[in-house]
């Protein structure tokens, strides 16, 4: 057991700030690192010390593992928190950190290695009776052999990069005709994006939901699950809205998935915080997809419903403490939603729309949490993930959490760039979402950019309609031919607008 007194956060943006906040609460000193693009960033300002690493591109700054370790030695740092992305799932980095006598706040390098590769992850869990999506067990290179396997599995299939992540390196193939061209694209994409061209084939689950289980394990072999997060609202296989609990799981399936997730964690002797992702079909059969061996972007929804601060638990575990709770101590309190506020244009294929935050005002009030790393006047750099903030709400039940989120989205004022806020509001009000009857294809099935075209909010439209109706009533009293025709003119523009919704 080693008390951690000082932590370097090997990350930037909202997650660096979020980690710093928890560390301050447990009286741990913090060291930030930053690139030239992040000189004015909040994580730099909020940390006790901050060190400039280099120019903006990540490979000259946030990915410089050796330099980061040197900074730790110079500043007497006890432990490194990698956040998500960047070096968080880099087994070699974790190994070097450990060899330098510094604690890596995360699992062992071996766990990262096994789970970092989707094929080795599937092979590792076979002994634990975990349901897997039908597919190939090994990397596949020969096109004819692959095509035969695809026939056996049955179309549609998914070609996936074994080293893939962040929704990249995935190709859906609907029929044998497209197989060869798609496979070639998948291999070259995997080679250029991940430096590893290994691909495998999986049955494409139609009507899939993405539901994942948060787990926590200590170095004494105790592992618990912290229930599920529903992450089915996605664009480009990447999440935009998450919630906990899921609107569709029964307590029985929740428990089964929780136990399966614990099995996956045991399969790689896991300790620390981790997430086991499952794909769930329309009959609520679930299949293991992959394990993310780090803190997840959407971890706040789990914190809201369990009351557990995952970053503080990560630190306690890294110090060698036993988990302070058992499975039976954990329960779900209310409902939590998260929307990811990306600097992207939902009217233009969700392409990044970076620039200056001309105005920026966060929502506040009961049950609202904003994890962000920006202030008014700051630039969103082009070098990194274009996420500005995570907006999280918590309430007694799902309906109230949705109402609260819509209120918070309306209160959020961001100008200067396009964001995903308006799109998220559209989703939250959609019948498919409120009923819980949705899957990962929500955008394909229910969204076209024209639904966001009106700049007026619905409240504004309602107010305008009510006002127009009032004028009409007053005018009616005068009951002359002339005023009647004026009414028609006054009301019609609002009526027309109303019809668009
Ligand atoms: P999460 O899995 O936590 O829900 P994402 O899939 O959006 O969230 O990934 C979190 C961040 O990590 C993103 O910035 C993403 O681009 C990055 N990321 C995840 N996996 C990889 C990977 N294998 N290689 C490179 N970047 C990755
Ligand atoms: P990544 O490492 O990029 O996060 P995942 O394997 O977790 O890759 O898949 C990302 C997303 O792709 C899932 O959340 C889901 O929407 C979709 N997906 C993955 N596998 C399947 C499958 N077999 N059938 C249908 N959709 C899938
Ligand atoms: Mg994933």
């Amino acid at each position: 057991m080693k008390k951690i007194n000082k932590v370097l956060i090997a990350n930037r943006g909202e997650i660096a700030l979020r980690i710093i906040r928890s560390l301050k609460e447990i009286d741990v000193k913090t060291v930030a690192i930053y690139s030239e693009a992040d000189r004015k960033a909040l994580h730099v300002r909020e940390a006790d010390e901050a060190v400039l690493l280099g120019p903006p591109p990540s490979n000259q700054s946030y990915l410089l593992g050796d330099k980061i370790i040197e900074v730790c030695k110079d500043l007497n740092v006890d432990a490194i928190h990698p956040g998500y992305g960047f070096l968080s799932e880099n087994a070699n980095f974790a190994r070097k950190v450990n060899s330098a006598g510094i604690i890596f706040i995360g699992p062992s390098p071996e766990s990262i290695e096994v789970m970092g590769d989707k094929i080795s992850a599937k092979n590792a869990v076979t002994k634990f009776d975990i349901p897997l999506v039908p597919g190939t067990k090994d990397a596949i290179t020969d096109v004819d052999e692959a095509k035969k396997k695809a026939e056996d599995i049955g179309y549609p299939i998914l070609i996936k990069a074994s080293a893939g992540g962040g929704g990249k390196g995935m190709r859906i193939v609907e029929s044998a005709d497209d197989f060869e061209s798609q496979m070639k694209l998948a291999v070259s994409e995997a080679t250029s994006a991940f430096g590893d061209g290994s691909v495998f084939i999986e049955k494409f689950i139609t009507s899939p939901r993405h539901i994942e289980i948060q787990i926590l394990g200590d170095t004494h072999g105790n592992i618990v699950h912290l229930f599920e997060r529903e992450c089915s609202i996605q664009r480009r296989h990447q999440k935009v809205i998450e919630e906990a609990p899921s609107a569709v799981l029964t307590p029985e399936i929740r428990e089964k998935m929780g136990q399966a997730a614990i099995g996956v964690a045991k399969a790689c002797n896991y300790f620390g915080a981790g997430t086991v992702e499952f794909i769930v079909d329309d009959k609520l059969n679930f299949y293991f997809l992959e394990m993310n061996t780090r803190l997840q972007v959407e971890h706040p929804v789990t914190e809201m419903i369990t009351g557990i601060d995952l970053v503080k638990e990560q630190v306690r575990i890294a110090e060698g403490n036993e988990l302070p709770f058992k499975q039976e101590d954990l329960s779900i309190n209310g409902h939590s939603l998260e929307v990811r506020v990306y600097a992207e244009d939902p009217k233009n294929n969700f392409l990044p729309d970076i620039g200056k935050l001309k105005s920026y005002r966060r929502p506040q009030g009961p049950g609202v949490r904003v994890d962000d790393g920006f202030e008014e006047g700051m630039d969103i750099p082009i070098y990194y993930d274009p996420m500005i903030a995570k907006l999280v709400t918590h309430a007694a039940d799902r309906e109230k959490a949705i109402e609260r989120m819509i209120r918070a989205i309306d209160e959020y004022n961001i100008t200067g760039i396009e964001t995903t806020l308006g799109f998220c509001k559209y989703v939250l009000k959609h019948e498919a979402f409120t009923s819980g009857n949705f899957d990962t294809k929500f955008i394909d099935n229910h969204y076209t950019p024209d639904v966001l075209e009106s700049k007026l909010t619905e409240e504004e439209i309602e107010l305008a309609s009510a006002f127009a109706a009032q004028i009409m009533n007053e005018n009616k009293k005068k009951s002359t031919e002339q005023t009647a025709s004026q009414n028609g003119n006054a009301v019609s523009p609002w009526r027309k607008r109303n019809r668009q919704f």
Side-chain angles (χ1 to χ4, degrees), residues 118 122 133-134 156-158 160-170 172 194 200 202-212 231-232 234 236-239 277-279 287 289-292 294 296 440-441:
K118 292 187 206 290
K122 288 189 184 209
V133 185
I157 58 107
L158 199 58
K160 270 191 184 179
S162 190
K168 295 183 190 78
M170 240 178 280
I172 301 170
F194 310 110
F200 63 102
E202 234 173 54
K203 172 94 190 138
F204 183 75
I205 305 290
T206 38
S207 233
R209 301 179 78 109
H210 174 120
I211 300 181
E212 58 188 32
C231 313
S232 299
Q234 305 182 343
R236 290 192 290 272
H237 304 298
Q238 274 190 312
K239 306 152 187 171
E277 299 189 333
F278 295 95
I279 197 105
Y287 308 94
L289 263 189
E290 64 161 348
M291 179 170 191
N292 292 329
R294 54 172 164 88
Q296 202 96 344
T440 60
K441 290 182 295 192

Side-chain angles (χ1 to χ4, degrees), residues 84-86 88-89 116 118 162-168 193-194 210 212 229 231 235 237-239 242 275 277 290 292 294-299 338 340 342 384-387:
Y84 56 73
F86 295 128
S88 62
E89 290 172 283
K118 292 187 206 290
S162 190
K168 295 183 190 78
F194 310 110
H210 174 120
E212 58 188 32
R229 290 185 290 256
C231 313
R235 47 105 184 73
H237 304 298
Q238 274 190 312
K239 306 152 187 171
E242 299 102 340
T275 295
E277 299 189 333
E290 64 161 348
N292 292 329
R294 54 172 164 88
L295 195 65
Q296 202 96 344
V297 175
E298 58 275 17
H299 74 277
E338 170 181 290
R340 297 194 191 186
Y342 281 103
Y384 320 109
D385 193 85
M387 196 171 76

Side-chain angles (χ1 to χ4, degrees), residues 29-86:
K29 292 273 171 270
T30 53
V31 179
I33 53 169
Y34 62 100
S35 75
E36 284 161 10
D38 282 337
R39 284 183 189 279
K40 294 185 195 143
L42 290 180
H43 77 277
V44 177
R45 214 187 301 161
E46 291 302 316
D48 297 308
E49 292 168 88
V51 179
L52 174 68
L53 282 182
S58 346
N59 61 5
Q60 295 171 55
S61 53
Y62 296 103
L63 289 174
L64 294 178
D66 291 339
K67 194 161 178 183
I68 292 169
I69 291 171
E70 284 313 307
V71 171
C72 289
K73 288 183 186 157
D74 287 349
L75 298 180
N76 258 322
V77 165
D78 300 312
I80 294 179
H81 195 306
Y84 56 73
F86 295 128

